[in-house]
Each structure stands twice: as C-alpha cells, then as structure tokens.
C-alpha cells in the first residue's frame, strides 16, 4: 500500500519570504508524484507533477518540487510567495500505469501568506 | 469549456434519506472517480470507473453506489444517508490516452447529514 505524509497542516509565511511544504511518501513500487492546489471554495488544480526524467519539476507560477528517491520525498518550494498563493496544497501519489488514477492524497497543508 | 460539473453545490439531508450527486464531464475522458474530503484526512477515493459500464471500489466505498451508463456521466448515490457521510465530495476525470497525466476536478458538493 502507498501512503503520503504531509507533516505540516498549516504554514504561515510573510509575503515575499520563501516557503517549503514537505511531502514524504511510502511505496514499494515506482510512483508518480503530484502537487495539487485548492483555492478557497474551489476544486483541486494540478500544480506540478513528477513522472520520470529530471527530478526537479517546476510550475508556471514559480513553485518547484524535487523528487528525492532515497529520502522518498517530494517537497514543494517557492523562493518568494505572494498573497495569491494562499491556498491548501495537497501532495498525491499514484502507482497506476496512467499516472493520474487512484490517487492517494496527503492530509494537506494550508498555506497562509501574511502581508 | 465546462470541464467537470457537479450538482448540487450544497445539500442538507436527514439521516436515512437518499440522494444522488451528479457529475458530468465534457472532455470525453475515460476515467472518472469520486473522492470525499474530510478535515485532517485529505481526499479519499470512494469509487472509480475506467469507462462506460465499468466501475470499481476505492478506499471508502461503503454506503455509496455508482454506475456509468455513458462516458459523460458518473453519478454517486447515497441510499441511506448517515451523519458520517457529512463531507465535501469531489468528482474527477482524466484521459487514458495521450500524454496528459492531469486529473480534472469539479467544484465539489458540500453535503451535510443531520
């Protein structure tokens, strides 16, 4: 069975400061890794994904995550946050061939940006 | 471009009542699924379908039924609602062809069972 751990349930950060949201997973097989973002009263949107290849993946809005197989981690980082980054962030894994099915989610990290 | 549409957005049920949460997608996706989101527990998979006429159970299927008669629709039925089913429900769809590996989520249905 696979599981995802997001140790930080809430992370307050000052605007323009850097942030790291931690994600660790456990799986006995290769997995696909995702970060989804949920803005208030909305559904989830894909932020970035790791399928294979380069272990550093980036989103269009400045977030990046690095797949670390030895530490089974996929931490999300941003060097300078903005008010608009306020949201809940979910790390997820899938071990299916299609990569986006039967997702196992972490419990989420609520990112609050302080002006 | 509607994407994944869920109805209703909000619902209050009494214990024992039944209802159907609707989910429709217009992207011709083969795969559709239902998740429930509870505080401190993330999203958990209820049921999923890989195509019309094919459904299977996820992590927390008890108390829920699904069917998939068309590619577009994947309704979730609660036959006898219980307070433990109070949650936010999300429908998602994704393609099994091409290179896209993104699941598209609806806006959610907030269900309260009293």
């Amino acid at each position: 069975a696979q599981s995802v751990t997001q140790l930080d349930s809430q992370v307050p950060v000052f605007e323009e400061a850097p942030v790291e949201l931690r994600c660790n997973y456990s799986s006995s097989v290769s997995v696909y890794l995702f970060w989804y973002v949920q803005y208030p009263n909305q559904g989830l949107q894909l932020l970035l994904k790791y399928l294979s290849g380069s272990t550093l993946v980036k989103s269009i809005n400045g977030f990046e995550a690095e797949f670390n197989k030895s530490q089974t981690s996929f931490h999300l980082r941003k060097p300078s946050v903005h008010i608009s980054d306020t949201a809940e962030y979910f790390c997820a894994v899938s071990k299916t061939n299609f990569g986006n099915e039967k997702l196992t989610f972490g419990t989420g990290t609520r990112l609050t940006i302080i002006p | 471009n509607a994407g994944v549409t869920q109805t209703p957005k909000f619902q209050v049920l009494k214990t024992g009542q039944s209802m159907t949460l609707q989910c429709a997608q217009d992207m011709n996706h083969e795969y559709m699924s239902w998740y429930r989101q509870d505080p401190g527990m993330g999203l958990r998979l209820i049921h999923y379908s890989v195509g019309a006429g094919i459904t299977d159970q996820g992590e927390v299927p008890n108390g829920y039924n699904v069917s998939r008669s068309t590619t577009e629709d994947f309704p979730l039925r609660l036959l006898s609602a219980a307070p433990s089913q109070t949650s936010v429900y999300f429908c998602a769809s994704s393609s099994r062809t091409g290179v896209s590996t993104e699941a598209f989520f609806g806006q959610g249905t907030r269900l309260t069972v009293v």
Side-chain angles (χ1 to χ4, degrees):
Chain A
Q2 57 199 29
S3 66
V4 178
T5 301
Q6 292 180 249
L7 288 174
D8 305 307
S9 60
Q10 297 187 61
V11 175
V13 182
F14 285 103
E15 193 172 13
E16 298 184 2
V19 69
E20 178 181 82
L21 306 183
R22 296 179 293 169
C23 172
N24 289 89
Y25 69 94
S26 65
S27 176
S28 58
V29 299
S30 297
V31 296
Y32 301 103
L33 295 157
F34 305 85
W35 276 99
Y36 279 86
V37 59
Q38 184 179 31
Y39 297 105
N41 300 313
Q42 294 189 26
L44 279 72
Q45 303 172 29
L46 180 66
L47 186 61
L48 45 75
K49 61 190 178 188
Y50 172 78
L51 306 178
S52 63
S54 173
T55 57
L56 182 65
V57 292
K58 299 184 179 184
S59 72
I60 59 173
N61 59 351
F63 282 95
E64 63 180 36
E66 185 159 19
F67 169 59
N68 187 318
K69 188 174 182 179
S70 62
Q71 298 186 5
T72 59
S73 67
F74 191 55
H75 301 331
L76 181 69
R77 302 183 182 93
K78 189 172 185 181
S80 177
V81 296
H82 189 267
I83 288 288
S84 60
D85 295 324
T86 295
E88 189 153 20
Y89 293 79
F90 291 93
C91 183
V93 303
S94 171
K95 62 178 183 180
T96 69
N97 291 333
F98 296 95
N100 51 10
E101 300 178 2
K102 299 179 72 174
L103 294 166
T104 297
F105 286 89
T107 52
T109 298
R110 187 173 300 277
L111 177 62
T112 302
I113 309 303
I114 305 165
Chain B
N1 187 6
V4 179
T5 302
Q6 290 184 235
T7 55
K9 286 186 169 50
F10 302 93
Q11 183 71 49
V12 179
L13 286 180
K14 293 182 178 180
T15 298
Q17 285 185 320
S18 64
M19 80 160 294
T20 300
L21 280 62
Q22 302 292 345
C23 175
Q25 51 94 6
D26 62 358
M27 298 171 282
N28 202 33
H29 285 165
E30 302 89 346
Y31 184 84
M32 296 185 74
S33 55
W34 279 101
Y35 291 86
R36 60 177 289 174
Q37 182 182 26
D38 301 293
M41 301 190 73
L43 281 80
R44 292 178 292 168
L45 181 64
I46 305 171
H47 285 285
Y48 64 95
S49 168
V50 300
I54 306 169
T55 63
D56 206 345
Q57 297 180 352
E59 180 185 355
V60 289
N62 292 341
Y64 308 95
N65 283 345
V66 293
S67 61
R68 183 103 178 263
S69 57
T70 67
T71 298
E72 294 79 18
D73 300 299
F74 190 44
L76 179 71
R77 297 184 185 86
L78 285 70
L79 298 179
S80 179
S84 61
Q85 294 178 304
T86 293
S87 186
V88 181
Y89 292 84
F90 288 99
C91 179
S93 75
S94 58
S95 173
R96 290 193 136 203
T97 58
V99 297
S100 173
T101 48
E102 177 177 358
F104 293 85
F105 285 80
Q107 299 282 298
T109 295
R110 186 175 295 274
L111 175 67
T112 302
V113 182
V114 298

